[in-house]
Amino acid sequence: MTEPFVVVGADAAGLSAASKCRRTDPDREVVVLDAGRWVSFAHCGTPYYVKGEITALTAMTALTPADVRERGIDLRTEHRVTAVDTTQQQVTVDGPDGQTEVGYGELLIATGAHARTTPLSDEALAGVFTLHGLDDAAAIRAFLTDPDAYDRADVGADERLDWERVDAMGAMAPPAQLAIIGGGYVGVEMAEALAAWDVEVVLLHRGPRLLETFGQTAGDQAVDALEALGVTVELDTEVQSVEAADGQVSAVLATDGRSWPVQGAIVGTGITPATDLIRDTPIALGDSGGIATDAFGATSVPGVYAAGDVAESIHVVTGEATWDPLGLPANRAGRAIGATVGGEQTTVGQVAHTAMVKAGAIEVGRTGIIQEDAAVAAGFEPVAVDIEAASRSHYYPGAEPLWVRLVADRQTHRVLGGVTVGTDGAALRINTIATALHAGYTVVDLMNVDMGYAPPFSPVWDPVLTAAKVLDGRL
Amino acid sequence: MTEPFVVVGADAAGLSAASKCRRTDPDREVVVLDAGRWVSFAHCGTPYYVKGEITALTAMTALTPADVRERGIDLRTEHRVTAVDTTQQQVTVDGPDGQTEVGYGELLIATGAHARTTPLSDEALAGVFTLHGLDDAAAIRAFLTDPDAYDRADVGADERLDWERVDAMGAMAPPAQLAIIGGGYVGVEMAEALAAWDVEVVLLHRGPRLLETFGQTAGDQAVDALEALGVTVELDTEVQSVEAADGQVSAVLATDGRSWPVQGAIVGTGITPATDLIRDTPIALGDSGGIATDAFGATSVPGVYAAGDVAESIHVVTGEATWDPLGLPANRAGRAIGATVGGEQTTVGQVAHTAMVKAGAIEVGRTGIIQEDAAVAAGFEPVAVDIEAASRSHYYPGAEPLWVRLVADRQTHRVLGGVTVGTDGAALRINTIATALHAGYTVVDLMNVDMGYAPPFSPVWDPVLTAAKVLDGRL
């Protein structure tokens, strides 16, 4: 008898793989093991739940455990895999009924990532949070709510929540001042979310600009957009410590001596691949710290795959391994691995680090290599342009500034990457540049795409085309 | 001495060519001849001017005559070219100071298109209009305005307008009922525009659906969106005659005997290439009726180019000649011809018939070959899917239905075309499919593009990717 396909982690990559494997080979036994109680939830939705725009926690879960089981998948939540034995082809599992061994034919490691905490923030301190999962999100929303108004239903009553923690936060006095530490995706999205509450928000970021991977224009516009929401943004500000008084946060202190009185702090300083489980196995890590994989998502050990935030991918521009912990690559790689395990060899695809983020009124997109130094490091001779155009025909109501950055290689004229920034249709426009990157397009190839034009949606030359025209003139 | 580069027509293609030629070779003499008084105006903006969203007529002109002349271009408006002699390399021009001959080194025919009128509508009849240019637009707006309120300033005072006609329309009683004949771009955009006025609007369309080149879903959604604005839509309705009483429109009569009392009618039944000028020359027309051109926009006669609505282009999917009278191809081809004439050989690019249109709350986009019969005629074996997805993460506020049609060839799996329909970010999404067409992408290539994801802008799998996934399953 074939041993089952065992999946560790019941989120985007893991459940995509499990589902696709069952669809491809309906007779295949598939076991999904997850340490937590939640499955298939949308990390990216949590800031908007904290904001209050999404009311039900369960709205953010794509599948219930019952849905998963209906697909014929043996889903076991609250089952933590504690060891992987690639010689015996089995995993050790700690579950509610004790420890067991589960043999596998193929294994998928889809354990995701951990939120990085600063050495200085004590997570045990009441009022210090990371945002990595629904329990964190519910705890933050409970903390923001006045104890007199606190009601389990309001934070999204669900038996799977860590109610001890959430209720404790609900009983605390709501903060008058909050610090966000870190100005990446989570920091910026949480700044928008918290600004919707009756609380003073200060966003402290170590680097010289917000959303560093999106470039200078995106960073500048994000500062303006968050300040317009009442958020105080402090760049070049490294936090030295979170101070406490009476067991609760009382202030954050920067290395330059400045301090801000706050009653809570959200740490959004990034994530790291959750590779603890494979530390003592021969499964190889890549330079990024994620698990190294090939074009099919296979690791260095036959029969073992990795996908999602724990794994590396191949960069479509450089052809090199990279770590791109985002939702679509996780889903796509999981789906491909499920097909492969089910009998249909399928590549996991490549990544361009394409991303979108909203900061108040501003929307930004990025794809590929957008910084000169990164392009040089990858062996290119970059030429970049930054243009400002209008989002619609200039005379049509609602036309707003739209900034496009486009980077190409001087030798080959190949497009290496781009950024789109604006308040009107900026984020969606990044997908045309991403498509051009996958096609290996030159600047002229991109400039010659027959894009659509109608005054309510675009100028005659879409801003992406205008950027290509200007860049072509510089090559 | 080199004879000048002579351009006939001072609109998108003509002025793009003239400007680019001067930039490429600043010493080259460039003469632009136009029969009218307006230059460089945005046809596509006129419905929104009629609607009242754009107040100044001149807002729709990208360049003033003074701007054009500042570029060193010898612009002569109200100079009608009446003959082309390709042997002598000269054109005959009727201008305010009589008839002259102008010799050319290279010639660009950029005479655009004429609005098609029905044999039954008498344009001389007060209250019958086509919409092809700023004079038509101003006349319609004046007609809609109550005579007591009519003011030249309100319709966009500009000395270039045909004031005799506009003032006459301003003096007429405004219509209580209006018919629009034709349900293509102009008909649909004018229906939205007129619905903003205090007038009953009936849209009469000969075919079974609105916006026929956009497919069934777009047509259905456009009907709903226009009806929501109070417009009556009558499909499968061929107009037999426009009836008049006392010299003014009194009714439209359909071939099936139905009639609608109206005081005005807008005829939007399409356009034809304005090729009268070259009838007696050896410059060859293509099967479409437009001027045949090669990859550089050159006609069958050496030194003579054609671009814009009067010329054919090459279709990026079929590689065959096609007629695609839209703004971007006109600008791009003109620009390329200007560069070539200026000394830098540049191809005019290919077209995909990519288009966007707004119908009330609905936005639609289309690109490539979207109908099975057209695909079969082009030698393909089409497979099509129509999917419905959400415009954003389903739990994020503002998520709306988004329909995508995707067509591919069964043999090669190549993407042939697509349609996007919805109220939220539908039109812009067509550009990713257009980019995929130009790249010669297969369905799997498109499915594997690393597009952006953030809940406010897109589900994890953008609807275009979802369509590719579903279509891949059918191949």
Side-chain angles (χ1 to χ4, degrees):
Chain A
M1 197 192 96
T2 316
E3 291 285 342
F5 175 35
V6 172
V7 175
V8 187
D11 215 326
L15 287 180
S16 294
S19 300
K20 183 67 179 177
C21 181
R22 289 285 303 172
R23 281 200 303 278
T24 309
D25 179 0
D27 297 330
R28 185 67 196 265
E29 188 185 350
V30 178
V31 179
V32 177
L33 304 162
D34 196 284
R37 288 181 301 272
W38 296 97
V39 304
S40 182
F41 70 90
H43 274 285
C44 300
T46 50
Y48 307 101
Y49 160 84
V50 171
K51 186 175 180 182
E53 288 185 320
I54 302 165
T55 48
L57 260 183
T58 48
M60 286 180 289
T61 58
L63 298 168
T64 64
D67 295 333
V68 176
R69 291 181 182 118
E70 199 156 297
R71 295 179 177 186
I73 296 164
D74 180 357
L75 171 66
R76 307 180 197 169
T77 53
E78 299 185 77
H79 281 69
R80 179 179 298 278
V81 175
T82 56
V84 175
D85 182 337
T86 58
T87 310
Q88 296 296 318
Q89 296 207 173
Q90 64 182 26
V91 296
T92 305
V93 186
D94 268 356
D97 304 323
Q99 182 169 305
T100 55
E101 311 292 332
V102 178
Y104 64 81
E106 287 94 356
L107 176 68
L108 171 60
I109 310 288
T111 43
H114 298 303
R116 200 184 291 152
T117 51
T118 59
L120 31 110
S121 62
D122 178 353
E123 277 199 80
L125 204 60
V128 177
F129 305 87
T130 56
L131 181 65
H132 201 72
L134 300 181
D135 286 306
D136 287 340
I140 294 170
R141 201 154 102 178
F143 180 55
L144 290 163
T145 305
D146 193 286
D148 295 339
Y150 173 71
D151 184 319
R152 283 188 170 193
D154 287 343
V155 295
D158 191 292
E159 60 185 18
R160 287 170 289 179
L161 270 184
D162 178 354
W163 281 112
E164 193 181 334
R165 179 180 173 207
V166 174
D167 286 343
M169 290 300 111
M172 286 181 70
Q177 294 142 321
L178 266 177
I180 298 169
I181 302 171
Y185 298 88
V186 168
V188 164
E189 290 172 346
M190 283 304 289
E192 175 182 335
L194 297 174
W197 292 79
D198 183 23
V199 58
E200 276 179 42
V201 180
V202 60
L203 172 57
L204 307 169
H205 182 59
R206 191 170 57 175
R209 63 167 180 260
L210 296 183
L211 299 172
E212 288 194 43
T213 58
F214 288 76
Q216 190 65 49
T217 305
D220 291 345
Q221 293 295 324
V223 169
D224 289 352
L226 293 181
E227 287 181 345
L229 297 177
V231 174
T232 302
V233 179
E234 299 285 355
L235 301 174
D236 296 311
T237 302
E238 183 147 20
V239 172
Q240 179 175 294
S241 62
V242 177
E243 304 289 306
D246 302 328
Q248 195 188 338
V249 173
S250 61
V252 287
L253 196 65
T255 50
D256 61 10
R258 287 178 300 161
S259 70
W260 293 265
V262 295
Q263 296 78 51
I266 313 238
V267 181
T269 51
I271 58 175
T272 53
T275 54
D276 305 357
L277 178 61
I278 62 147
R279 193 178 296 138
D280 299 323
T281 73
I283 299 167
L285 298 183
D287 290 341
S288 72
I291 298 175
T293 56
D294 70 8
F296 295 91
T299 70
S300 59
V301 173
V304 181
Y305 297 82
D309 293 358
V310 76
E312 291 189 335
S313 315
I314 303 298
H315 195 294
V316 73
V317 176
T318 65
E320 305 287 333
T322 189
W323 185 56
D324 188 29
L326 290 172
L328 176 61
N331 274 273
R332 181 184 278 134
R335 184 174 184 273
I337 291 165
T340 297
V341 171
E344 292 180 3
Q345 285 277 311
T346 305
T347 56
V348 294
Q350 301 189 332
V351 299
H353 291 260
T354 311
M356 301 169 169
V357 66
K358 178 175 182 290
I362 278 287
E363 42 183 83
V364 301
R366 57 99 57 229
T367 189
I369 303 174
I370 64 161
Q371 301 295 356
E372 272 100 339
D373 54 357
V376 169
F380 299 106
E381 188 184 338
V383 182
V385 292
D386 290 274
I387 64 125
E388 179 180 337
S391 62
R392 313 177 180 194
S393 290
H394 65 92
Y395 53 77
Y396 191 85
E400 297 290 342
L402 204 140
W403 295 270
V404 181
R405 177 178 177 80
L406 204 60
V407 183
D409 177 47
R410 186 179 293 284
Q411 297 303 318
T412 60
H413 291 200
R414 182 174 169 196
V415 180
L416 302 178
V419 181
T420 51
V421 181
T423 55
D424 179 44
L428 281 178
R429 280 178 160 97
I430 202 65
N431 288 339
T432 56
I433 305 178
T435 306
L437 290 187
H438 279 262
Y441 261 22
T442 64
V443 174
V444 167
D445 291 335
L446 177 57
M447 190 177 91
N448 277 340
V449 172
D450 186 18
M451 296 193 189
Y453 155 52
F457 308 121
S458 176
V460 177
W461 293 88
D462 186 272
V464 170
L465 296 175
T466 299
K469 273 203 299 185
V470 174
L471 181 52
D472 181 50
R474 305 267 174 91
L475 288 171
Chain B
M1 198 191 95
T2 315
E3 291 284 343
F5 175 35
V6 171
V7 176
V8 187
D11 214 326
L15 287 180
S16 294
S19 301
K20 184 67 179 178
C21 181
R22 289 285 304 172
R23 280 200 303 278
T24 309
D25 178 1
D27 296 329
R28 186 66 195 266
E29 189 186 348
V30 178
V31 178
V32 177
L33 305 161
D34 196 284
R37 287 182 300 273
W38 296 97
V39 304
S40 182
F41 69 90
H43 273 284
C44 300
T46 50
Y48 308 101
Y49 160 83
V50 171
K51 186 175 180 182
E53 288 185 321
I54 301 164
T55 49
L57 261 183
T58 48
M60 287 180 289
T61 57
L63 299 169
T64 65
D67 294 333
V68 175
R69 291 181 182 118
E70 199 157 297
R71 295 178 179 187
I73 296 165
D74 180 358
L75 171 67
R76 307 180 197 170
T77 53
E78 298 184 79
H79 281 70
R80 180 179 298 278
V81 175
T82 57
V84 175
D85 183 337
T86 57
T87 310
Q88 297 296 318
Q89 297 207 171
Q90 64 181 26
V91 295
T92 306
V93 186
D94 268 357
D97 304 322
Q99 183 169 303
T100 55
E101 311 293 333
V102 178
Y104 64 80
E106 287 94 356
L107 176 69
L108 171 61
I109 311 287
T111 45
H114 297 304
R116 201 184 288 152
T117 50
T118 60
L120 32 108
S121 62
D122 178 353
E123 276 200 81
L125 204 60
V128 177
F129 304 87
T130 55
L131 181 66
H132 200 72
L134 300 181
D135 286 305
D136 286 341
I140 295 170
R141 202 154 101 178
F143 179 54
L144 289 162
T145 305
D146 193 287
D148 296 337
Y150 173 72
D151 184 320
R152 283 188 172 192
D154 286 343
V155 296
D158 191 292
E159 60 185 20
R160 287 169 289 178
L161 269 185
D162 178 354
W163 281 112
E164 192 182 334
R165 179 181 173 206
V166 174
D167 286 342
M169 290 300 110
M172 287 181 70
Q177 295 143 320
L178 265 178
I180 298 169
I181 302 171
Y185 298 88
V186 168
V188 164
E189 290 172 345
M190 283 304 289
E192 175 183 335
L194 297 174
W197 291 79
D198 183 22
V199 59
E200 274 179 43
V201 180
V202 59
L203 172 57
L204 307 170
H205 183 60
R206 191 169 58 174
R209 62 166 180 261
L210 295 183
L211 299 172
E212 288 193 44
T213 59
F214 289 77
Q216 191 64 50
T217 304
D220 292 345
Q221 293 295 325
V223 169
D224 290 352
L226 292 181
E227 288 181 345
L229 297 177
V231 175
T232 301
V233 179
E234 299 286 354
L235 301 175
D236 295 312
T237 300
E238 183 148 20
V239 173
Q240 180 174 293
S241 61
V242 177
E243 303 289 306
D246 303 327
Q248 194 188 339
V249 173
S250 61
V252 287
L253 196 65
T255 51
D256 60 10
R258 287 178 300 162
S259 70
W260 293 265
V262 296
Q263 295 78 52
I266 313 239
V267 181
T269 52
I271 58 175
T272 54
T275 54
D276 305 358
L277 179 61
I278 62 146
R279 194 179 294 136
D280 300 324
T281 73
I283 299 167
L285 298 182
D287 291 341
S288 71
I291 298 175
T293 56
D294 70 7
F296 295 92
T299 70
S300 60
V301 173
V304 180
Y305 297 83
D309 293 359
V310 76
E312 290 188 334
S313 315
I314 302 298
H315 195 295
V316 73
V317 176
T318 66
E320 304 288 332
T322 190
W323 185 55
D324 188 30
L326 290 172
L328 176 61
N331 274 274
R332 181 184 278 136
R335 184 175 185 272
I337 291 165
T340 297
V341 171
E344 291 179 3
Q345 285 278 310
T346 305
T347 56
V348 295
Q350 302 190 329
V351 300
H353 291 260
T354 310
M356 301 169 169
V357 66
K358 177 174 182 289
I362 278 286
E363 44 183 82
V364 303
R366 58 98 56 228
T367 190
I369 303 174
I370 66 161
Q371 300 296 353
E372 273 99 339
D373 53 357
V376 168
F380 299 106
E381 188 183 337
V383 182
V385 292
D386 290 274
I387 65 125
E388 180 180 337
S391 61
R392 313 175 180 194
S393 290
H394 65 92
Y395 53 77
Y396 191 86
E400 296 291 341
L402 203 140
W403 295 271
V404 180
R405 176 177 177 81
L406 203 60
V407 183
D409 178 46
R410 186 179 294 284
Q411 297 303 318
T412 60
H413 292 199
R414 182 174 169 196
V415 180
L416 302 178
V419 181
T420 51
V421 181
T423 55
D424 179 43
L428 281 178
R429 280 180 160 98
I430 202 64
N431 288 339
T432 54
I433 305 177
T435 307
L437 291 186
H438 279 262
Y441 260 23
T442 65
V443 175
V444 168
D445 290 335
L446 177 56
M447 191 177 90
N448 277 340
V449 172
D450 185 20
M451 295 192 189
Y453 155 53
F457 309 120
S458 175
V460 177
W461 293 86
D462 186 272
V464 170
L465 296 175
T466 298
K469 272 202 299 185
V470 175
L471 181 52
D472 181 49
R474 305 269 175 89
L475 289 170

